[in-house]
Amino acid sequence: MSLQPSWALLPLRLFLGGTFLYAGLSKIFDPHYLDDTSPLGVHAQMLQAATTSPIGPLVSFAAEHPTVIGLVIAFGEVAAGLGTLLGLFTRVAAVGGFVLALSFYLTVSWTTRPYYFGADIVFAVAWTPLLIAGDAGLFSTTARLRAAIRRHRPDLSPDDERRMLLRGGLITATAAALGGGVIALTRLGTDPKPGRPAEPGTNSPTVIAAVAAVAVGSSTSFTTPDGSAAYLVRPSADTFLAFLAGCTHQGCPVTPAGSGFRCPCHGSTFDGTGQVTGGPATKPLTTVPVRVVGGQVVTA
Ligand code: FES
């Protein structure tokens, strides 16, 4: 018995569709993703990637519009995933998935050595069979839409039929995008405002980490009660210090570098006590008061 090629592609289609849908939704529902001050956010990732990517200038330009680009990436993944799973314009969805995976490879995965350890290049190549073959009519919403149009409008010319099919697909995609947009806007409206400064002393204590979980000389990231990204550092056995992650130059999120921090935007450096060790920043990182209570470090 010979197997139709479309059946052979089904596991790949399910895996890529499910993975991209999951990845897109994870970003939409991640409170750090669109937070410009979070080291876990898309802005920080773009700033970091701009320093190593072969398309660095393009990434730097994109980093100036992190919310728009972040939403395009997240909803692009959802659209590619849904289209692939539902068989709705599968080839177009595969082109989207391929472009996204390729852009991830050229940015966040570019420094992975050897190259085959990075997943994004594998994802990019994995999209190509679907890009070439599409869904071939198997579990295909597009094929069902076309059949329905032929049933109800047998008089249509092939061109008109294609136009109506495209219109049906666009209406479905627009409805999905509007639904997703409403969810995203709802989240943007309820999430803590990115970059809002901490208001020490006005929040109830929040546990940051167990004392034993932070080794001497190391740091860990956390989120302040008002939603700002911050770092807790332990310079000595009895000392815990915490700082907002926002650079005091222009607000980019700093990242740990050696025993201190470095800002990926313009290269400011700070030591483990938050003091400036290299400009253009001139002010130390903003301190977040913390104390130790019962073996745990909490906000003061
Ligand atoms: S924003 Fe950090 S160095 Fe400019």
Side-chain angles (χ1 to χ4, degrees):
M1 182 183 104
S2 68
L3 195 65
Q4 291 294 320
S6 51
W7 281 97
L9 287 176
L10 196 56
L12 188 62
R13 191 175 144 193
L14 289 174
F15 175 73
L16 290 175
T19 302
F20 269 60
L21 178 60
Y22 174 68
L25 291 177
S26 300
K27 289 181 176 71
I28 291 168
F29 290 105
D30 178 354
H32 300 292
Y33 180 63
L34 293 178
D35 182 348
D36 287 358
T37 65
S38 172
L40 306 174
V42 67
H43 187 218
Q45 288 179 22
M46 284 194 282
L47 292 172
Q48 181 64 38
T51 62
T52 55
S53 169
I55 52 169
L58 196 60
V59 182
S60 295
F61 175 74
E64 291 171 17
H65 312 280
T67 303
V68 174
I69 300 297
L71 289 175
V72 167
I73 292 172
F75 284 105
E77 287 181 328
V78 169
L82 269 182
T84 303
L85 287 175
L86 298 176
L88 183 64
F89 299 122
T90 308
R91 270 205 189 93
V92 177
V95 169
F98 173 78
V99 169
L100 282 168
L102 186 64
S103 65
F104 298 154
Y105 169 61
L106 292 173
T107 52
V108 288
S109 292
W110 184 253
T111 52
T112 304
R113 296 287 180 274
Y115 73 93
Y116 50 79
F117 277 4
D120 293 316
I121 189 169
V122 182
F123 274 112
V125 175
W127 277 109
T128 55
L130 292 175
L131 199 153
I132 295 165
D135 55 44
L138 183 69
F139 301 124
S140 172
T141 302
T142 307
R144 282 203 193 95
L145 275 175
R146 186 176 284 124
I149 291 169
R150 281 182 185 162
R151 235 182 355 262
H152 292 99
R153 298 291 307 273
D155 54 312
L156 286 181
S157 69
D159 275 354
D160 287 340
E161 181 188 298
R162 209 171 301 125
R163 265 193 285 275
M164 189 171 260
L165 184 61
L166 199 59
R167 211 175 301 145
L170 281 178
I171 289 170
T172 308
T174 306
L178 283 178
V182 168
I183 293 172
L185 286 175
T186 306
R187 290 197 60 76
L188 286 175
T190 54
D191 281 348
K193 291 283 177 291
R196 192 166 62 185
E199 297 172 43
T202 60
N203 302 302
S204 51
T206 299
V207 174
I208 298 172
V211 167
V214 188
V216 175
S218 72
S219 64
T220 185
S221 61
F222 70 98
T223 304
T224 63
D226 76 341
S228 299
Y231 286 103
L232 173 71
V233 297
R234 188 178 188 182
S236 68
D238 300 326
T239 312
F240 286 92
L241 301 170
F243 311 102
L244 294 183
C247 176
T248 50
H249 178 225
Q250 287 180 5
C252 290
V254 298
T255 52
S259 60
F261 299 93
R262 183 179 183 281
C263 178
C265 285
H266 312 102
S268 289
T269 51
F270 305 84
D271 66 16
T273 66
Q275 297 301 314
V276 178
T277 52
T282 55
K283 293 184 190 152
L285 294 175
T286 307
T287 303
V288 179
V290 294
R291 59 198 166 101
V292 176
V293 178
Q296 295 191 306
V297 187
V298 301
T299 53

